[in-house]
Amino acid sequence: MKFNIAVIPGDGIGPEVIAQAKKALDSVAEVFNHNFSYTEALMGACAIDKTGNPLPDETVKVCEKSDAILFGAIGDPKYDNDPSAKVRPEQGLLRLRKDLGLFCNVRPVKAYDKLIANSPLKKERIEGTDISIYRELTGGIYFGTKELSEDGQTASDGCKYSVFEIERIAHLAFKAAQNRRKHLTLVDKANVLETSRLWRKTVTAMASQYPDVTLEFLFVDNAAMQLILNPKQFDVILTENLFGDIISDEASVIGGSIGLLASASVGKENALFEPIHGSFPQAKGKDIANPLASILSASMLLEHLGLHKEATAIDNAVQKSLELGISTEDINSENPFPTSKVGDFISDYIQNPDDDINFSNIHMGQSTII
Ligand code: IPM
Ligand code: MG
């Protein structure tokens, strides 16, 4: 089958990790006889440098025409450290999410057996953790009215949600729970925030449509604590934009590295797949960043296109790389492999999913099977 994939490498380590995800997709195309046609587009600091705009119109057009979008990372320290900057790289991503209506962000969090020792959390606490975070992505405080008083002494960010916005993502979260362990936790701050009370009321009213799902509520401060104390209690977490941003970074600690967490941002017409990590500018160009989150994002992209066997082929290759310790320094400090070599191994393994691997060749960067 033929698919058009928009590719936005973005800033920092984005281009390096996306190159590995493309290698994995190319292997999938070869093995399963598909044709993936990539169109590259600009977004973020690199787009500001070239065009003055973090999200050029051309990028939106390329994305709209695509079957799926693969995105790397966004951000650059020269903007982070300048609160008065008029344009910021992140505006590009936020506008793209909004323009394409990508309201549902799914972030799976798993404790991989092989990496349990990497997590600063105790093994018994995290072993077997498998959470799917449903983060609302196009509303709330991220997109509310922002104001800075003329004298620069007061600022505000409005947070607004409608029943429509809550219901459309809540349906998806309930359905995900039905296909998993049938447990949904709404994370909010309903003891303080009016928007959270609307979330609670709306989601509670929907529960009767999903009688097989147990619905629970947790205040976000408690949820932040529970995620570290007992992450296994969670199945699907549903939450608003800002809380989802925060607790998904927190949850990444369970997996041992933020370099492992992939995500899907889905709307009615389009879908974008990206690692949850940032642009890691200190590592840019050094071939040390973990490409797994990007590669796993490519797997989520295939899943979205209905290519389930193909997605599994990527997941198995990632699993194998972890088992063999063919990993970057964040999860393998003793014998780290470069970003590109991890990518080479994974794309080779997709083509030759065999256990008989010639280790000396892996070290040479050619993981040919003997
Ligand atoms: C994320 C990121 C973004 C967000 C930034 C880069 C705007 O942290 O995808 O989690 O806050 O949504
Ligand atoms: Mg974030």
Side-chain angles (χ1 to χ4, degrees), residues 313-326:
I314 293 192
D315 296 346
N316 290 344
V318 166
Q319 185 67 42
K320 197 73 191 176
S321 74
L322 293 173
E323 276 165 27
L324 295 176
I326 301 172

Side-chain angles (χ1 to χ4, degrees), residues 13 115 117-119 255-261 277 280 288-293 322 326-339 342:
I13 57 165
L115 294 179
N118 284 73
S119 176
S257 170
I258 196 167
L260 289 169
L261 256 66
H277 61 66
F280 194 11
I288 56 169
N290 192 337
L292 294 190
L322 293 173
I326 301 172
S327 309
T328 44
E329 65 181 24
D330 52 321
I331 49 178
N332 180 4
S333 53
E334 278 179 11
N335 178 25
F337 281 70
T339 310
V342 176

